Amino acid sequence: MILTSTTQRMVPFAAFCFAVLTMLGSAGSTFGGDLLAQSDPANNSDATAGDAVIRELRGATMGTTYMVKIYDPPEFESDVAIAVDAELRAVNDQMSTYLKSSEISRFNDSDSTDWFDVSVETAEVVSAALEIAEATGGAFDVTVGPLVNAWSFGPDPKTNVVPSDSVIDTLRESVGYKKLAVRMDPPALKKSVPTLKVDLSSIAKGHGVDRVVDRLADLGAENVFVEIGGEVRVAGSKGGQPWKVGIQNPQAANADGDAMSLAAAHPMQDQAMATSGDYRIYFEVDGKRYSHTIDPRTGRPIDHDLASVSVVADTCMKADGWATAINVLGADAGIKVASEQGLDVLVIRRRGDEFVRVGTGSLSSYALAAAGPATADVDPTTDVAADQPPSLYTRMLPTLVITVIGFGVILFAMAIGVIFGRKSISGSCGGLAGKKNDDGSVSCSLCSNPSDACQELREQMKEGRAKKDAAES
């Protein structure tokens, strides 16, 4: 095949480049595992722990990230990554205040004070939220959304401006858990003031974790670790050993470059843990720090010595809601309510430049430890077992990068040769090594076994050999 113009010569070259890049892209997908719209295929992988395999899925949801680990996974009849993604999308469709079409957003936009139909799941979450609100005297309140927005921590554009007292007083007229009602049969919500709005962000992540764990159980997975934005629930074990969940050390979180150290690595089996703290999300005005946690009773950010609260419960929804509630209450009142509710709690308080721990139940043992990191250099939101080797993707990434760079250099050199050397394009080698035979045909030293794409070249070579044999005979 002889092409005369530069454009003509570049067409097969471009096709060749596309084929190579497509091949590399396919290889990357294979390394990455399952492809999903929301999940991150580059972070879905299988690892091994001893003789067992750990299936790992990662992705984005609810404005944060999620991670799923399945120890010794069964042979799933359907794509487990798609099942997880679908479950999380369902939670968003029901409870996200960022989706205008969600059930909660439509309820918030409604001015009606009649019953508003919602899903069973949304009604269950609101019911659980109202129970915590009642137990804490309103310290936990899912109607606090307008105040959260006013303080630049909600879905509205962030201004980081301290709202005036009059604005806070006006918004508080629309806030109050006693202005919200829920029923289960049929599931519905009702508000007593048209301007009331519900924000489930302080409990919906935990609910999402529970739903993923339940979905995986339906699919046959018995040993799982599920985390969304730091809220964790585990089921079963990891080869007979409990999963370990890290509690981040807020002291280290304030230090540059050491945000991964832990206050504790807590073993859990068939339990959930959630943590709430003010050391990550806040803004400062005139040197004063304003926490993202708003006290519904005052309409203002919490202002006490509590740096973080971790709660262990049987469901992640419960742990999530109570972590926020205790964070609002403060250490002393929070520990008192936690004891009354039979919750396992670890609170970390600021005392000047030091941090002091107080715990109840299974977390009380960490209160005896000196403040400071208990385990270093471990992601606090993940299982902290150290016996897991790097994933297949991690091991293959350097090789893949080197391969891509190598191909890139070769392709660039070919492009230079084609454009400036006015080389013809022949054979599957792209003409780089094309040469003319004695009989006038064109062959390619890199193309010892031409493919079907080189049909014209092979015919020319065959014709040349026939002429040569005829001449010799």
Side-chain angles (χ1 to χ4, degrees), residues 161-183:
V161 172
V162 177
S164 65
D165 292 344
S166 62
V167 168
I168 293 174
D169 291 341
T170 299
L171 291 175
R172 290 187 67 191
E173 295 176 359
S174 301
V175 172
Y177 72 96
K178 292 186 177 180
K179 300 170 184 172
L180 174 66
V182 59
R183 74 180 183 197

Side-chain angles (χ1 to χ4, degrees), residues 141-156 161-176 195 197 199 283 291-301:
D141 191 338
V142 292
T143 71
V144 75
L147 287 166
V148 175
N149 284 332
W151 284 97
S152 298
F153 297 115
D156 290 351
V161 172
V162 177
S164 65
D165 292 344
S166 62
V167 168
I168 293 174
D169 291 341
T170 299
L171 291 175
R172 290 187 67 191
E173 295 176 359
S174 301
V175 172
T195 53
K197 299 182 185 302
D199 183 348
F283 70 85
S291 168
H292 76 288
T293 302
I294 307 301
D295 188 339
R297 300 168 300 180
T298 64
R300 292 169 170 78

